[in-house]
Amino acid sequence: MKDANLQAQIAELERILQTNPNIKAILEGLEGLGLDDYYLGGGCITQTVWNYLHGFSPDAHIKDYDVAYYDGDDSHEAQDAVIRSANKQFSKLPVSVELTNQARVHIWYEENNGKPAPRYDSAAAGINSWPVTACCVGVRKDAEGFKVYAPYGLH
């Protein structure tokens, strides 16, 4: 897939991700949360691809499903409201769906990781900072179709 053009890579990624019923349900459910700037991303995307390539169940070894979203309201209350809506939306799924407002990362990051984080101004800015480049992939579905954000590429 390394030499495939970008559109072919995106089509293959979408095909592989559709084999994971949790990803499929989460992408459909995220559309109903009213978020403008969001991606399902990180380890759940990478692990689904690795599972596919190595013959494992599509959802094997996935601890949680992370959603990076951006809302300029960086209050705890605003994030909590989104999390409550998501918990209701995904309550029937057998997995943990974790949402993080990227506008809030600078508030808690240093306490958890020992160094400060900049203020992010989008979901993509948060994905850019993830420490494992292979996991820096976000996907979503919207009215225009399947969207991918991969600052370090898909190859």
Side-chain angles (χ1 to χ4, degrees):
M1 194 156 88
K2 182 177 182 181
D3 296 323
N5 70 44
L6 182 59
Q7 291 305 319
Q9 289 178 0
I10 290 171
E12 180 70 357
L13 177 63
E14 181 178 18
R15 188 183 70 71
I16 291 170
L17 295 180
Q18 290 295 316
T19 68
N20 182 329
N22 297 315
I23 286 180
K24 188 174 178 180
I26 293 166
L27 288 176
E28 290 169 3
L30 285 170
E31 291 180 67
L33 290 181
L35 302 172
D36 292 325
D37 181 7
Y38 67 91
Y39 291 98
L40 173 65
C44 69
I45 303 302
T46 306
Q47 190 64 49
T48 298
V49 171
W50 289 341
N51 288 341
Y52 176 83
L53 294 174
H54 296 286
F56 295 112
S57 172
D59 59 349
H61 315 294
I62 299 174
K63 181 183 124 193
D64 57 27
Y65 292 73
D66 293 313
V67 177
Y69 76 95
Y70 180 82
D71 176 354
D73 182 345
D74 68 0
S75 71
H76 175 74
E77 294 78 17
Q79 179 174 274
D80 195 48
V82 171
I83 290 170
R84 281 194 313 275
S85 293
N87 287 343
K88 185 176 180 182
Q89 180 79 4
F90 301 120
S91 65
K92 294 185 175 157
L93 291 180
V95 297
S96 173
V97 181
E98 297 185 4
L99 285 87
T100 303
N101 183 359
Q102 300 305 295
R104 287 188 48 78
V105 172
H106 71 280
I107 295 170
W108 54 262
Y109 190 89
E110 185 170 9
E111 184 176 323
N112 291 351
N113 298 290
K115 62 181 181 175
R119 284 184 181 261
Y120 300 133
D121 61 0
S122 66
I127 291 171
N128 292 345
S129 73
W130 292 350
V132 179
T133 56
C135 293
C136 293
V137 177
V139 299
R140 72 175 183 225
K141 284 185 131 180
D142 60 24
E144 298 175 15
F146 186 73
K147 304 290 184 192
V148 175
Y149 181 72
Y152 304 102
L154 294 175
H155 58 279

